[in-house]
Amino acid sequence: MKKNYIKYTTVFLLGMGVFASCKKSFLQVNPKGEFAASNYYQTPDQAFAGLAAAYDPLTTETGGLDGTYTDVLGPLNSASDDCYAGGGGPNDTNDWQLWNNYQLNSAAGPQQGFWPINFLGVSRANTILAEVGGVPGLSDDLKKRYTAEAQFLRAHYYFDLERLFKNVPLILKPLAQADIYNQLQAKPADVYAQIEADLTAAIPNLPATVVASEQGRVTQGAAIALLGKVYLYEKKWAQAATEFAIVNGTPGGTTPVYGYHLVANFGSIFSPNNKFNSEAIFEITRTATQAYTWNNWNTFKGNVYVQMVGPRNFGDATYAGGWGFNPVTKLLHDALKGDPRYGYTVLDMDSLVAVEKSSYQASYQNTGYFLLKYAPLTKYKATQGQVELNYPNDYIEIRLADTYLMEAEALVMGSGGSARAQALLDAVRARVGLASVPVSMTTIKNERRLELATEGHRWFDLVRWGDAPTVLSFKGFQAGKNELLPIPLTDLSATKLVQNPGYAN
């Protein structure tokens, strides 16, 4: 496995409790056991450690309210038409079940994880931005780079908050105790303007590439791609296309400066043996080397999601067992059947056990179809610690095929560029041996579904396209309500925050 400097530093920080997360509310800014920032940022090493802590909410799967499991893939796949929640029963990992059935409320649902973990990230990024300029002995170049990374991270956390909640406070500096309960929700346009400003400021001061020991840190390409994605969600088509073109380069070729190009073998994109491959623009690292046990809840750096999606009570030479979450829907199975990506995306478990004359335990909402991109493979089982908690599979949050299709969408929805949009769509399809189809929003939507299935994008796509009420009606999606998550009840008490429409306090 390639070494990533972020993962080891954040584990150390969490162990010493300097930047311990606040599990009750993002508004509780000084949990017991933390050191005051004014007393901490006194050396370059401490500045580096603080920056690593700002990355940590991206990499910790279990940091929400009361230890809520906050991995992005499980809840988002449960809410989409790609998967069901699954698991051991209708109350197993209840937040996933509630979003799967669109029965969530202000007191229960995935917001219990997403809201605090993202505001924790905002808080830590704000601290770095406030303190890094005054750290003795830190070079000007490192101050610029750390500042740029913190700006990217704050933008990333706020982008997720906007997409999930829309109506959020805009907090740009560490809060004084007297101010923490007086925060008002900002206009979404103002939050998006700040996201754009942070990314625009960050881009010139981020490295174009990083050395192996720094993999996992933000690069210039990641910031440009995220800015393009932000513009796309704002329907700023021309600006989105401009940013994506920088990271995409010539469709099917290698991007100048950044070196991105499509991986020839689609199935190898997701392999732990192929981390930080040429298609990965922003990759979130997991590791199997920490030997975590159940005593390390809220600090796992292995990929627990991999264990969750495996078939229950099963194991052979290829596939390890799991807990039966996120069974693939027949809708996705049928959409992918016959596509070259099917065999890298969907595991037909019933056919496998029929051939092997073996068996597995059907999970709740079992369809017989399981995820393959994050499947628990026997060869990657940890040899130390609690095996289930230590899978090494990374999560590629932004990859080149994704940005190809987003640029194609921006061009089709904008004022021109149909030839380039066609070339981008064709490149994604050609990589898996598929012929060209005429570019349109219909074909782009279909390609995004097949190319990016189970990677956590589908729910966001359906919502932003306005397709969710129709596509997700079989799960109970209500238009005008379920496009957003409710604000957690704990953060409405004694504050000036107002609940999102459709959810009672």
Side-chain angles (χ1 to χ4, degrees), residues 217-285:
R217 292 180 71 172
V218 177
T219 62
Q220 197 172 88
I224 294 169
L226 183 57
L227 180 57
K229 190 171 182 176
V230 169
Y231 285 143
L232 188 76
Y233 274 68
E234 294 182 278
K235 297 182 169 54
K236 295 180 178 180
W237 311 120
Q239 289 139 295
T242 296
E243 300 300 325
F244 287 133
I246 297 171
V247 294
N248 291 340
T250 301
T254 299
T255 306
V257 181
Y258 307 118
Y260 303 129
H261 64 85
L262 295 175
V263 173
N265 181 351
F266 179 82
S268 71
I269 295 170
F270 314 98
S271 170
N273 290 335
N274 199 21
K275 289 172 180 274
F276 301 102
N277 58 63
S278 63
E279 191 160 337
I281 297 174
F282 186 55
E283 183 164 340
I284 296 172
T285 309

Side-chain angles (χ1 to χ4, degrees), residues 307 310-323 347 349 352-354 356-361 370 376 378 381:
Q307 169 69 23
R312 298 173 73 89
N313 293 342
F314 179 81
D316 65 8
T318 302
Y319 301 106
W323 298 329
L347 170 61
M349 195 63 196
L352 177 64
V353 297
E356 292 187 343
K357 294 181 172 53
S358 57
S359 64
Y360 72 101
Q361 179 185 346
F370 288 79
T378 302
K381 289 177 69 173

Side-chain angles (χ1 to χ4, degrees), residues 23 133 139 258 291 361 413 478:
K23 293 170 63 176
S139 71
Y258 307 118
Q361 179 185 346
M413 294 300 294
Q478 297 179 47

Side-chain angles (χ1 to χ4, degrees), residues 112-412:
Q112 304 290 94
F114 288 138
W115 178 276
I117 203 70
N118 281 294
F119 271 114
L120 177 64
V122 169
S123 176
R124 290 179 176 179
N126 283 341
T127 298
I128 288 292
L129 291 169
E131 299 291 339
V132 73
V135 175
L138 189 66
S139 71
D140 288 342
D141 285 345
L142 285 179
K143 286 178 182 178
K144 288 179 181 178
R145 183 178 181 184
Y146 291 5
T147 296
E149 289 178 270
Q151 288 167 327
F152 172 94
L153 291 169
R154 183 168 68 182
H156 184 285
Y157 295 128
Y158 261 122
F159 184 46
D160 275 357
L161 286 165
E162 272 300 304
R163 292 191 295 166
L164 291 167
F165 299 99
K166 186 177 179 179
N167 303 300
V168 301
L170 181 57
I171 302 169
L172 302 178
K173 60 182 180 180
L175 294 176
Q177 190 73 22
D179 297 331
I180 60 177
Y181 295 106
N182 296 319
Q183 300 303 304
L184 300 174
Q185 286 139 304
K187 296 177 181 178
D190 292 342
V191 180
Y192 268 109
Q194 182 61 48
I195 294 169
E196 292 177 18
D198 275 342
L199 292 171
T200 301
I203 287 167
N205 296 318
L206 290 168
T209 59
V210 295
V211 297
S213 62
E214 294 184 338
Q215 286 173 331
R217 292 180 71 172
V218 177
T219 62
Q220 197 172 88
I224 294 169
L226 183 57
L227 180 57
K229 190 171 182 176
V230 169
Y231 285 143
L232 188 76
Y233 274 68
E234 294 182 278
K235 297 182 169 54
K236 295 180 178 180
W237 311 120
Q239 289 139 295
T242 296
E243 300 300 325
F244 287 133
I246 297 171
V247 294
N248 291 340
T250 301
T254 299
T255 306
V257 181
Y258 307 118
Y260 303 129
H261 64 85
L262 295 175
V263 173
N265 181 351
F266 179 82
S268 71
I269 295 170
F270 314 98
S271 170
N273 290 335
N274 199 21
K275 289 172 180 274
F276 301 102
N277 58 63
S278 63
E279 191 160 337
I281 297 174
F282 186 55
E283 183 164 340
I284 296 172
T285 309
R286 308 292 187 206
T287 176
T289 65
Q290 296 300 316
Y292 286 131
T293 70
W294 290 110
N295 293 327
N296 299 107
W297 191 263
N298 273 9
T299 65
F300 298 143
K301 293 294 174 282
N303 195 327
V304 184
Y305 183 68
V306 170
Q307 169 69 23
M308 295 191 77
V309 302
R312 298 173 73 89
N313 293 342
F314 179 81
D316 65 8
T318 302
Y319 301 106
W323 298 329
F325 285 89
N326 277 169
V328 169
T329 64
K330 193 170 186 301
L331 291 170
L332 178 58
H333 166 273
D334 292 349
L336 270 166
K337 191 67 174 175
D339 188 282
R341 291 162 289 202
Y342 175 90
Y344 301 110
T345 306
V346 177
L347 170 61
D348 185 339
M349 195 63 196
D350 289 344
S351 295
L352 177 64
V353 297
V355 170
E356 292 187 343
K357 294 181 172 53
S358 57
S359 64
Y360 72 101
Q361 179 185 346
S363 60
Y364 177 61
Q365 298 173 315
N366 180 60
T367 61
Y369 306 118
F370 288 79
L371 276 73
L372 265 181
K373 289 178 179 177
Y374 307 102
L377 300 184
T378 302
K379 63 182 177 181
Y380 296 125
K381 289 177 69 173
T383 58
Q384 53 188 341
Q386 191 76 29
V387 171
E388 298 92 333
L389 309 178
N390 290 284
Y391 279 98
N393 306 59
D394 285 2
Y395 173 45
I396 306 175
E397 185 181 281
I398 305 175
R399 61 183 178 93
L400 193 60
D402 181 15
T403 57
Y404 271 22
L405 294 173
M406 287 193 286
E407 184 186 348
E409 178 179 343
L411 291 168
V412 167

